[in-house]
Amino acid sequence: MDDTVSSSSSSASTTTFNPKTKRQKQMAMAKKAIRSLIIALLANLSLTFTIVVLFGSGRKYRALPNKPMWFPPLWLVHLATMGSAFLMGLSGWLVWAEGGFRGPSDALYVYISQVSLGITWHPLVLRIGAPDFGLGFCLVNFGTLVACHVMFKKVNPIAANLVKPCLAWAAFLSIVTLKLNFL
């Protein structure tokens, strides 16, 4: 009986609470979170920036003779596209941080599809000059954004709210592309 009492008291003394260790663990987790956030944002932004630089000259877009006054200037198209990429990267990271890309959900596939579709407008419309294909990609991109919003809302409502400005931009870009078909 003395052995069990002494062994339990010795194990209790070895599991003392060390607040510095807990603080260090929290700091390590925070550093990992910040690192993963930076990677998520930079991956999306660098991909979008590369596409804008390579395919965003828009000589055909600038040279349109009867462009309506509500058409955005090219620098605004690029800036809004980068903003949309930033918001989608942030919302994707929020869903990832909550574990929303694990399991049987299709959220990861829809997110990757949206990122891929989001970068196709510049080459199709600005470089190739194919607004009919660009409109098709805009509409499919809008659909993937709606799917991202629905799936992200189940995991993190803030992430879903970050998709809303991207939806507005995709809708506006679809209207611009539709009008480009008739110019």
Side-chain angles (χ1 to χ4, degrees), residues 22-41:
K22 184 177 180 182
R23 173 85 172 141
Q24 288 173 343
K25 287 180 182 179
Q26 289 174 339
M27 288 300 290
M29 286 178 56
K31 285 180 184 178
K32 280 184 180 179
I34 289 173
R35 190 177 315 129
S36 67
L37 173 61
I38 290 170
I39 290 169
L41 291 177

Side-chain angles (χ1 to χ4, degrees), residues 41-104:
L41 291 177
L42 283 180
N44 214 5
L45 285 173
S46 63
L47 180 63
T48 304
F49 182 75
T50 302
I51 295 298
V52 166
V53 168
L54 292 177
F55 302 108
S57 66
R59 290 182 195 105
K60 295 176 184 177
Y61 182 86
R62 285 188 188 127
L64 289 172
N66 298 326
K67 196 168 31 174
M69 71 174 214
W70 54 268
F71 265 40
L74 207 49
W75 64 266
L76 185 60
V77 171
H78 299 326
L79 186 64
T81 302
M82 292 296 293
S84 181
F86 174 80
L87 290 174
M88 283 306 295
L90 182 57
S91 65
W93 179 80
L94 287 170
V95 170
W96 172 80
E98 296 277 337
F101 289 144
R102 285 183 239 133

